[in-house]
Amino acid sequence: MRAAVATIRELAYLCGVSVATVSRVFNNPKAVTPKTREHVLRLARELGYRPNEPARTLATKKSYMVGLIWDTDHRSPGWRHPFFQEILIGLKTALSEEGYHLLLLSTSDEDAAGGPSLDGYLHAVRRHSLDGVVFIDSGNESPAPHAIAEAGVPCVSLDRPVDGPRATYVTSDNAGGARDAVAHLHATGRRAIATISGPLRTRPGADRLAGYREALDALGLPCRPGHVQEGDFYLAGGHAAMRRLLEGGDRPDAVFAAGDQMAIGAMAAIGEAGLKVPEDIAVVGFDDIELAALVPPGLTTVAQDKAGFGTMAAATLIEMVDGPAVEAPPPAILPTSLVIRGTTTPRF
Amino acid sequence: MRAAVATIRELAYLCGVSVATVSRVFNNPKAVTPKTREHVLRLARELGYRPNEPARTLATKKSYMVGLIWDTDHRSPGWRHPFFQEILIGLKTALSEEGYHLLLLSTSDEDAAGGPSLDGYLHAVRRHSLDGVVFIDSGNESPAPHAIAEAGVPCVSLDRPVDGPRATYVTSDNAGGARDAVAHLHATGRRAIATISGPLRTRPGADRLAGYREALDALGLPCRPGHVQEGDFYLAGGHAAMRRLLEGGDRPDAVFAAGDQMAIGAMAAIGEAGLKVPEDIAVVGFDDIELAALVPPGLTTVAQDKAGFGTMAAATLIEMVDGPAVEAPPPAILPTSLVIRGTTTPRF
DNA sequence: GCTCTCGATGTAACCGGTTACATGAAACCG
DNA sequence: CGGTTTCATGTAACCGGTTACATCGAGAGC
């Protein structure tokens, strides 16, 4: 391969046209005669010319880059969104198709950017001329997304509502999924259905609990106070919450855990208490992480549309960035689907 | 917060100095009188001024961005490096500390950049003036890293050797870890030690098998041909390979699987054959994925230094980028450590 | 044939930084 | 005290694109 031509001026010279024409070939092809267009394109291809992005960004204020903010300190388990990786794939793929790139931003950049200011991310966005931002919630109530959203930067947040002139969010149908889970437990013969909720300050935590309550209501089952235990979305929290449920004297015959990790922790606690899943206590989780299918006897769970998160976030963001600057699209609520496995086999 | 000052010229005007002085305050502080320096810094802080990155990049050719190439098609499971996420965290954290950012690149960008050329990534690197590249191997023998490495772009590859004037790689001590695993199986009383290798075209696959052979040699054990089965690093491959081992007539009393997923697949196959782990067959894995601790009775495994991958990659890359442009540092070999759990309890 | 339009192309300013070089003041020195 | 060095600062060119506006030529209309 020959050395790539460096600049638009060189290419213009070689083509015998002006820089403006070359520029137009790439940015507004129909403003240029087919003949010259082809000529320029052919030479560009042969010489391996590609317009320089920083220069283009400088001139247009559009970088074709979006920031992925992933607000967390690296010590806490908070950074582990249950399917960060799937989200990332979906996001990256969808953005690439539209010619956008993804720049990773995390808490450390905030400080590095000059002191722990509340709007460190906003500065990062400005510095790089980012076209928009995707924010993955880690449940730690960071003020970052609000600062950005309010500044009018196109912004989509995952699993956490934000408002701002060009901000929206995408989440699963948490309440609906929870209702399905409870209805399924009821349909398999369980009547004393407890729940291990997520942290109630998180939106999915609160919504899944609400769905649980609605379902009990609809089924005419009482909502016994001891049957709601708050967890932390992680293994340990599920384990501890399950022990509380077991020690409560009012032993449930089914548990809806608002996250698969908690469900697995709960199953461990059930085993330690000498009880069996699903014979003594049925379990349903939420998320459908990879592990759910592997842990015996297979965890019944409310599956989220993992790839959908990324894809939807990308689509929504691009709509705000590219589209006519009207207003923020409505929040996207992804459907869930119940995956039935061994932890909820019917009672006789 | 007041509106951020847009340009260096404005700030210079407000400070009553020239743009050159302001620029120096940020890039070469000691070239400027303490008094003016403080003055400029104070005003800059008050006004929220930050130098514009694309402009800076345009002028200096240094973007303070490194690309993370993650070569894969999104369909295959190949993108699942066993701990992509940990690597990413380590990488991002270490890079942020030095003021570098991470730009995600993946296969789709290659095409979008104008046809499926072999050096699509190289173009992406040039377009964005990336300072370097980290390449995560997904085992699909992509030619991408070589094109980049040979072009002289600073480049560090994970788990796969590359050469180029400024290229190096980081990997675990795969052979050493494998030797430890086999020695441990021997020490717990096993003598008929089989292995499920990774794909032999991958470097870790080949190295772990080599380590296994060396260990058998050192222990004076024969290396029976039927006792080496090639897997794919995934659950299904481990399962299939284990069945081949069991059907071979020459049943082993221990298996070293070159990856935890394969080990877990193998354990399933052992269970299906009516045999027990560790009583009938002991199992050791490699990686120490999260699941290893959770799957009963706990998988003994060779732990890799997950965070170390990212940190080391970042350090090595920055050394090449920042440092005096001598030559590529030698490959980094991260130590492994054996984590002993329930699948290898000693034989009486 | 002459103007008028319109569409393709060129010229040059501009985006927001960096930096080589010029400048001028202060410090140093014999 | 004149001359030289040193050092902080300023001027202006440059990085590689985009784009407003000017220009020019061809076809349309009369």
Side-chain angles (χ1 to χ4, degrees):
Chain A
M1 143 180 178
R2 326 149 212 47
V5 168
T7 79
I8 196 176
R9 285 173 235 266
E10 290 184 58
L11 179 58
Y13 172 78
L14 293 175
C15 292
V17 301
S18 77
V19 293
T21 299
V22 175
S23 180
R24 278 189 279 258
V25 166
F26 288 96
N27 298 311
N28 187 12
K30 59 193 172 307
V32 99
T33 300
K35 192 162 72 74
T36 37
R37 189 196 316 150
E38 296 311 330
H39 183 214
V40 170
L41 279 176
R42 196 166 49 74
L43 241 53
R45 194 166 323 114
E46 278 176 22
L47 300 169
Y49 168 80
R50 293 284 195 294
N52 176 291
E53 288 299 338
R56 186 196 274 248
T57 299
L58 177 58
T60 60
K61 312 270 175 250
K62 187 154 170 33
S63 63
Y64 284 96
M65 288 201 283
V66 323
L68 177 62
I69 296 187
W70 177 23
D71 196 24
T72 169
D73 62 276
H74 308 290
R75 247 157 296 284
S76 94
W79 56 264
R80 265 193 184 283
H81 190 287
F83 19 79
F84 176 82
Q85 202 161 335
E86 277 90 346
I87 292 176
L88 193 57
I89 300 254
L91 199 54
K92 180 72 190 75
T93 308
L95 287 175
S96 290
E97 272 163 22
E98 303 291 329
Y100 284 85
H101 286 265
L102 207 48
L103 186 71
L104 256 44
L105 301 174
S106 62
T107 324
S108 34
D109 300 315
E110 202 169 359
D111 307 340
S117 68
L118 275 184
D119 40 27
Y121 285 126
L122 184 53
H123 276 133
V125 169
R126 293 248 165 83
R127 276 163 65 115
H128 293 276
S129 306
L130 298 184
D131 296 336
V133 153
V134 174
F135 180 83
I136 301 192
D137 187 30
S138 51
N140 59 3
E141 309 187 76
S142 141
H146 289 109
I148 293 184
E150 276 162 20
V153 177
C155 170
V156 7
S157 163
L158 266 35
D159 270 344
R160 175 170 167 196
V162 281
D163 44 26
R166 318 191 62 184
T168 187
Y169 63 98
V170 2
T171 189
S172 280
D173 180 7
N174 289 302
R179 285 195 300 266
D180 293 347
V182 173
H184 170 66
L185 286 169
H186 182 265
T188 57
R190 277 79 182 186
R191 291 299 176 268
I193 303 173
T195 191
I196 299 175
S197 79
L200 297 180
R201 61 188 158 76
T202 69
R203 186 59 176 258
D207 286 354
R208 290 172 200 173
L209 179 57
Y212 162 83
R213 290 216 159 99
E214 290 161 23
L216 288 188
D217 247 35
L219 293 166
L221 295 175
C223 183
R224 314 185 210 182
H227 275 186
V228 175
Q229 295 291 340
E230 185 172 350
D232 61 356
F233 278 135
Y234 296 100
L235 217 66
H239 188 271
M242 190 68 226
R243 287 178 62 154
R244 273 178 267 137
L245 286 173
L246 291 173
E247 288 162 2
D250 185 13
R251 192 218 287 173
D253 61 5
V255 176
F256 163 57
D260 282 352
Q261 301 231 31
M262 294 197 300
I264 292 167
M267 287 165 69
I270 293 171
E272 288 161 14
L275 299 172
K276 302 209 68 163
V277 175
E279 292 81 355
D280 299 309
I281 304 186
V283 176
V284 178
F286 207 115
D287 288 347
D288 196 27
I289 62 178
E290 198 186 7
L291 189 45
L294 298 177
V295 64
L299 176 63
T300 294
T301 189
V302 179
Q304 300 196 60
D305 180 3
K306 297 160 207 159
F309 264 81
T311 321
M312 187 60 81
T316 315
L317 189 60
I318 288 175
E319 189 183 332
M320 288 191 280
V321 171
D322 271 355
V326 277
E327 63 209 31
I333 313 288
L334 300 171
T336 60
S337 67
L338 190 68
V339 178
I340 297 173
R341 299 202 181 91
T343 55
T344 59
T345 46
R347 263 204 161 148
F348 321 134
Chain B
M1 146 182 176
R2 325 147 209 52
V5 168
T7 78
I8 196 175
R9 285 173 236 267
E10 289 183 58
L11 180 58
Y13 174 75
L14 293 176
C15 292
V17 300
S18 76
V19 293
T21 300
V22 174
S23 180
R24 279 188 279 258
V25 165
F26 288 96
N27 299 311
N28 188 13
K30 58 193 174 305
V32 96
T33 299
K35 193 161 73 75
T36 37
R37 189 198 312 152
E38 296 311 329
H39 183 213
V40 171
L41 280 176
R42 197 166 48 74
L43 240 54
R45 195 166 320 115
E46 278 176 21
L47 299 169
Y49 168 80
R50 293 281 196 296
N52 176 290
E53 288 298 339
R56 185 197 275 248
T57 299
L58 178 58
T60 60
K61 313 274 177 244
K62 188 154 170 34
S63 63
Y64 284 96
M65 289 200 284
V66 323
L68 177 62
I69 295 186
W70 177 24
D71 196 24
T72 169
D73 61 276
H74 308 291
R75 246 157 298 286
S76 94
W79 56 264
R80 265 193 183 284
H81 190 285
F83 18 80
F84 177 82
Q85 202 161 336
E86 277 90 345
I87 292 176
L88 194 57
I89 300 253
L91 200 54
K92 180 72 189 73
T93 308
L95 287 175
S96 290
E97 273 164 21
E98 304 290 329
Y100 284 85
H101 286 265
L102 207 47
L103 186 72
L104 255 46
L105 300 174
S106 63
T107 324
S108 33
D109 300 314
E110 203 168 0
D111 306 341
S117 69
L118 275 185
D119 40 27
Y121 284 125
L122 183 53
H123 277 132
V125 169
R126 293 248 164 84
R127 276 164 66 115
H128 293 276
S129 306
L130 298 184
D131 295 336
V133 153
V134 174
F135 180 82
I136 300 192
D137 187 31
S138 53
N140 60 3
E141 309 189 76
S142 141
H146 289 107
I148 292 184
E150 275 162 20
V153 176
C155 170
V156 7
S157 162
L158 266 36
D159 270 344
R160 176 171 167 194
V162 282
D163 44 26
R166 319 192 62 185
T168 187
Y169 64 98
V170 3
T171 189
S172 280
D173 180 8
N174 289 303
R179 285 195 301 266
D180 292 347
V182 173
H184 170 67
L185 286 169
H186 182 266
T188 57
R190 279 79 182 184
R191 292 297 176 270
I193 304 173
T195 191
I196 300 174
S197 78
L200 297 180
R201 61 188 159 76
T202 69
R203 188 59 177 260
D207 286 354
R208 290 172 199 172
L209 179 58
Y212 161 84
R213 290 216 159 99
E214 288 160 24
L216 287 189
D217 246 35
L219 293 165
L221 295 174
C223 182
R224 314 185 210 182
H227 275 187
V228 175
Q229 295 291 339
E230 185 171 350
D232 60 357
F233 278 135
Y234 297 100
L235 216 67
H239 187 270
M242 190 68 226
R243 287 179 62 154
R244 272 178 268 135
L245 285 174
L246 291 173
E247 289 162 1
D250 184 15
R251 192 217 289 173
D253 61 5
V255 177
F256 163 57
D260 282 351
Q261 301 231 31
M262 293 197 300
I264 291 168
M267 286 165 69
I270 293 172
E272 288 161 15
L275 300 172
K276 304 211 65 162
V277 175
E279 291 81 356
D280 298 309
I281 303 186
V283 175
V284 178
F286 206 114
D287 288 347
D288 196 26
I289 63 177
E290 198 185 7
L291 188 46
L294 298 176
V295 64
L299 176 63
T300 294
T301 189
V302 179
Q304 300 196 60
D305 180 4
K306 297 160 206 158
F309 264 82
T311 320
M312 187 61 81
T316 314
L317 189 59
I318 289 175
E319 187 182 333
M320 288 191 281
V321 171
D322 271 354
V326 278
E327 62 207 33
I333 313 289
L334 300 171
T336 60
S337 67
L338 190 69
V339 177
I340 297 172
R341 299 203 181 90
T343 55
T344 58
T345 46
R347 255 195 171 159
F348 322 137

